[in-house]
Amino acid sequence: MLSKFKNIPKMKSKKIKNLIKKSQYKRKILKQQPTLSSKYKDSRYEDIKLIHNALGGNQLAYERLMKKYHDQIANLIFRFIHRKEHVEDLTQEVFIKAFASLKSFK
């Protein structure tokens, strides 16, 4: 059975070797996991603390979450609807739904 592979021309075997090298390189890249910046980690940690405090009834935690994300959400909504007069109402609805679903936060 190995005799079949002895007849492969050298050019094809080089191509096969190159393909193997490329696939090994791709696997190596895929194994590398991106690291989060400390600023992002701190922000996520702060958000988790605020959410747990808000679930405990802390009104200041709710307010801080709203202040932190209000502008980002309002800008996103404006990009969708392009009507300034509706942006604030929709932003408030987003926060109401988000806060209502905080209990299922994991």
Side-chain angles (χ1 to χ4, degrees):
M1 186 161 185
L2 291 174
S3 61
K4 292 180 185 178
F5 296 109
K6 288 183 180 178
N7 297 330
I8 296 176
K10 288 184 179 181
M11 189 171 171
K12 284 188 179 179
S13 66
K14 285 182 181 179
K15 285 183 180 180
I16 292 171
K17 287 179 184 178
N18 285 337
L19 287 173
I20 291 171
K21 284 181 184 179
K22 286 179 184 178
S23 68
Q24 288 172 345
Y25 178 72
K26 286 181 184 177
R27 271 190 255 127
K28 191 176 186 180
I29 288 175
L30 291 175
K31 284 183 182 178
Q32 296 174 351
Q33 299 218 350
T35 57
L36 299 175
S37 68
S38 62
K39 181 179 177 184
Y40 181 75
K41 286 180 187 176
D42 293 342
S43 178
R44 278 189 70 180
Y45 178 71
E46 180 185 8
D47 289 349
I48 291 169
K49 280 179 54 177
L50 288 173
I51 289 168
H52 285 294
N53 289 338
L55 286 173
N58 185 343
Q59 189 65 30
L60 289 174
Y62 280 118
E63 290 175 17
R64 287 189 64 194
L65 280 169
M66 275 188 63
K67 285 180 184 177
K68 184 172 182 179
Y69 291 105
H70 180 274
D71 292 342
Q72 293 173 0
I73 292 171
N75 287 332
L76 179 66
I77 291 170
F78 180 75
R79 284 189 275 166
F80 279 107
I81 64 169
H82 300 287
R83 302 195 81 190
K84 290 181 182 178
E85 60 271 11
H86 298 297
V87 170
E88 192 59 38
D89 290 337
L90 291 172
T91 304
Q92 287 179 1
E93 286 184 35
V94 167
F95 277 108
I96 289 169
K97 288 184 180 185
F99 289 142
S101 64
L102 274 181
K103 292 177 183 172
S104 64
F105 174 75
K106 292 182 181 178

